[in-house]
Amino acid sequence: MNLKIHSTLTTTITASQITPRVRKEKGQFSVKEPIFVTMGDQEVKLFAAWSSSFSKRVEIALKMKGINYKYVAESLSNKSPELLRYNPVHKKVPVVIHNGKPICESLVILEYIDEIWKSGPSILPEDPHARAMARFWVSFIDEKCSPAIKRIYRSQGEEREKAVQDATEHLETLENELRGKKFFGGDEIGLVDLSATFIALWLGVLLELAGVELLTKEKFPRLCEWIDIYLNCSIVKETLPAREDLLDHLRSLRRPAK
Amino acid sequence: MGDQEVKLFGLWASPYSKRVEIALKIKGIKYEYFEENLSNKSSELLKYNPVHKKLPVLLHNGKPVCESLVILEYIDETWKSEHSLLPEDPYARAMARFWAKCIEDKCTAAMRSIWRSSEGQDKVIEELTVHLKTLENELKGKKFFGGDEIGLVDITANLMALWLGVLLELKGIELLTKEKLPRLCEWIDDYLNHQIIKETLPDRENLREYMSNLLKG
């Protein structure tokens, strides 16, 4: 695809004439930064909330790909009419608007981003079986792991005990999946790592608030190591909220125990 | 062909299993079918899906793929025949994935609640009504969710086309009527009468009896 870049000299140059910069620092993945300026026909907006792990998945992905976007901060307790217009079915963040068209649901957005912007690192692998595995693990995290953690946080007594049991089992499954790998995606961050953003930060915060110790280095050495590495990736670090801010925020929302 | 060996572990009464069978048939893919028994799962099924121990499981050249929607995308990416399950355009693909997920999440949750006759039924039915009306709108000007041909969303909506209808009947809930949801009811007729769908889905009466027994038992 030939891309017209409008420089101040009004000379159009094609993408093949641009040398992508490759930046590789120790402990971080390489990112090729395309030298784009914001193009009117590539306008990207992101409606997101700072405390939402789903929002953050998308933000990290946009940054990984070097996509310029306008960030529209939403308040979960007071959603804008624009958000409700763009996502009438679920009324939730995140929503990405690309050339005026809305895309909702974080995983749908991640796949869309990967299909449209083929420069920069890939979010999904090439091979169909590897792609199926990635989607499988994402489904596992979203439908089993995260709900179990949230149940621990929201419940008491027997219900909580059962939730802890379930969560332990699910985390053990993830621990096994990390065998021999730096990230779930292999050597680079991929779809599963992005989806596991909840586990990297929100899980620890919720368990702290619940007073439950579960994710320890002794029980889950690989998972804990993954969390350290993931949270220290420069793009992840600059995108996620500070742990203390998230802790204070969730604490302030907490309903009294029954 | 040996290097195209496809096996499917399924259950005749499972909408998830049937999704995969329909996709395989639409694509003209030859496969070997293994009928599972939920109360006595085969050791092979447990080996190929150790995480969930559920069906359907697709085995392609010895490698397992689990979760029906994951399998549908895998089938579409691996066998690029004439009939695509997902459209070419990335935005249309995103829309298809959005609707498939929406139907899966909302329909499954509603059916689970109705099945158990859990508390707050009225609210559940109200929410389901809103969801079905949303789908009614989505069908405006289209024969199928996929347009002129069946696609990912239609196959995912198996659940709604047959299983939901049977469950609502068994529970005496009047919701899927031509008066309230004309386009959706027409879609159901067109879908259930599609050649491949008709030959793949279970017979309505057999399913009704199966579900009725499960509800009593």
Side-chain angles (χ1 to χ4, degrees):
Chain A
M1 184 173 95
N2 281 328
L3 298 158
K4 289 194 184 148
I5 315 293
H6 296 283
S7 71
T8 52
L9 298 173
T10 65
T11 318
T12 52
I13 48 177
T14 56
S16 56
Q17 292 173 283
I18 300 167
T19 311
R21 284 177 282 154
V22 177
R23 188 182 70 210
K24 197 169 186 142
E25 292 164 32
K26 193 180 170 194
Q28 286 157 10
F29 52 88
S30 63
V31 177
K32 285 187 194 153
E33 291 177 8
I35 310 171
F36 283 169
V37 298
T38 313
M39 290 144 62
D41 70 324
Q42 285 286 333
E43 201 193 53
V44 179
K45 271 190 195 174
L46 169 65
F47 289 78
W50 72 269
S51 60
S52 152
S53 65
F54 301 103
S55 283
K56 291 302 176 185
R57 288 176 178 178
V58 174
E59 246 192 291
I60 294 167
L62 288 168
K63 289 183 179 182
M64 261 170 75
K65 292 280 203 179
I67 298 163
N68 284 322
Y69 63 98
K70 185 181 171 194
Y71 183 92
V72 181
E74 284 286 333
S75 159
L76 294 182
S77 51
N78 186 19
K79 292 170 185 175
S80 73
E82 254 191 317
L83 175 67
L84 301 179
R85 182 163 58 99
Y86 285 127
N87 190 358
V89 176
H90 299 299
K91 306 174 180 42
K92 285 181 178 175
V93 289
V95 176
V96 160
I97 316 289
H98 182 217
N99 296 337
K101 294 199 263 189
I103 304 115
C104 311
E105 291 293 293
S106 63
L107 297 179
V108 176
I109 296 170
L110 293 181
E111 295 231 26
Y112 177 80
I113 286 172
D114 208 34
E115 287 177 7
I116 296 267
W117 286 276
K118 294 197 189 295
S119 66
S122 291
I123 294 172
L124 275 155
E126 284 286 323
D127 170 65
H129 190 261
R131 290 163 78 84
M133 286 298 96
R135 289 174 180 136
F136 171 84
W137 285 114
V138 165
S139 170
F140 178 74
I141 287 168
D142 276 358
E143 282 159 36
K144 296 274 181 188
C145 279
S146 304
I149 302 295
K150 288 174 188 171
R151 268 201 316 274
I152 295 176
Y153 178 68
R154 288 175 185 150
S155 62
Q156 301 270 319
E158 246 184 72
E159 208 192 318
R160 178 178 273 198
E161 268 172 43
K162 175 84 180 42
V164 169
Q165 233 176 356
D166 290 342
T168 307
E169 200 184 297
H170 299 325
L171 292 176
E172 274 164 8
T173 304
L174 288 183
E175 174 80 10
N176 283 337
E177 182 52 23
L178 275 169
R179 202 170 293 173
K181 295 197 287 196
K182 183 178 177 187
F183 296 109
F184 288 103
D187 293 328
E188 308 273 351
I189 284 177
L191 184 78
V192 185
D193 302 277
L194 292 172
S195 304
T197 301
F198 176 89
I199 292 173
L201 185 62
W202 278 256
L203 180 149
V205 170
L206 288 176
L207 291 183
E208 192 181 312
L209 288 171
V212 169
E213 203 185 31
L214 179 54
L215 197 55
T216 62
K217 276 190 163 67
E218 293 74 37
K219 286 188 200 159
F220 302 103
R222 284 187 215 110
L223 203 49
C224 288
E225 195 178 344
W226 170 81
I227 290 174
D228 281 340
I229 297 172
Y230 185 70
L231 292 181
N232 277 301
C233 288
S234 64
I235 285 179
V236 177
K237 199 153 58 171
E238 81 191 29
T239 310
L240 292 188
R243 196 176 192 282
E244 279 311 306
D245 290 344
L246 190 60
L247 192 66
D248 287 342
H249 172 73
L250 291 175
R251 189 183 279 130
S252 73
L253 292 176
R254 200 175 188 180
R255 293 186 197 110
K258 285 183 208 169
Chain B
M1 289 140 63
D3 69 326
Q4 287 287 340
E5 199 191 51
V6 179
K7 286 184 180 172
L8 173 64
F9 294 82
L11 176 72
W12 72 272
S14 156
Y16 310 102
S17 192
K18 288 301 177 183
R19 283 173 181 167
V20 176
E21 268 196 278
I22 288 166
L24 289 169
K25 287 185 180 182
I26 284 179
K27 293 278 202 181
I29 298 161
K30 287 191 162 60
Y31 63 98
E32 205 182 335
Y33 180 79
F34 295 88
E35 181 72 33
E36 284 287 332
N37 180 344
L38 286 185
S39 47
N40 187 22
K41 291 173 184 175
S42 71
S43 53
E44 267 185 312
L45 174 67
L46 301 177
K47 178 169 62 130
Y48 292 127
N49 191 358
V51 175
H52 298 298
K53 307 176 179 45
K54 285 183 180 176
L55 42 85
V57 175
L58 186 80
L59 211 60
H60 181 214
N61 295 337
K63 291 201 256 186
V65 185
C66 310
E67 296 287 288
S68 64
L69 295 185
V70 175
I71 299 171
L72 292 183
E73 291 235 30
Y74 176 79
I75 287 172
D76 207 34
E77 287 176 3
T78 304
W79 287 276
K80 293 189 193 294
S81 69
E82 283 168 24
H83 191 145
S84 290
L85 301 179
L86 277 160
E88 281 290 319
D89 172 65
Y91 187 75
R93 290 163 77 82
M95 287 299 99
R97 286 177 177 133
F98 172 83
W99 285 113
K101 187 174 196 303
C102 188
I103 288 169
E104 175 79 323
D105 290 348
K106 300 224 181 215
C107 221
T108 305
M111 283 183 66
R112 197 172 285 148
S113 184
I114 293 171
W115 181 275
R116 290 175 192 158
S117 293
S118 33
E119 271 179 46
Q121 275 289 272
D122 290 341
K123 186 160 189 302
V124 168
I125 290 166
E126 207 181 287
E127 283 172 2
L128 182 60
T129 309
V130 170
H131 171 60
L132 293 177
K133 288 208 169 113
T134 308
L135 295 179
E136 173 84 6
N137 284 338
E138 182 53 23
L139 276 168
K140 211 176 284 187
K142 295 197 286 195
K143 182 178 182 188
F144 295 112
F145 288 103
D148 294 326
E149 306 270 354
I150 283 175
L152 180 85
V153 183
D154 302 277
I155 298 174
T156 303
N158 242 0
L159 192 58
M160 214 172 51
L162 184 59
W163 278 261
L164 178 64
V166 173
L167 180 61
L168 292 176
E169 246 178 65
L170 287 170
K171 292 282 183 174
I173 299 169
E174 219 182 84
L175 183 50
L176 267 173
T177 64
K178 279 192 162 67
E179 294 74 37
K180 290 184 191 162
L181 300 158
R183 276 188 221 112
L184 201 53
C185 287
E186 198 176 342
W187 170 82
I188 291 174
D189 280 342
D190 286 336
Y191 184 74
L192 294 180
N193 278 305
H194 184 285
Q195 176 65 33
I196 287 175
I197 309 302
K198 203 155 57 169
E199 79 189 28
T200 312
L201 290 190
D203 172 74
R204 195 189 182 91
E205 275 316 305
N206 291 345
L207 186 63
R208 198 174 195 282
E209 198 183 320
Y210 176 82
M211 282 170 74
S212 176
N213 289 336
L214 281 179
L215 278 170
K216 286 177 201 156

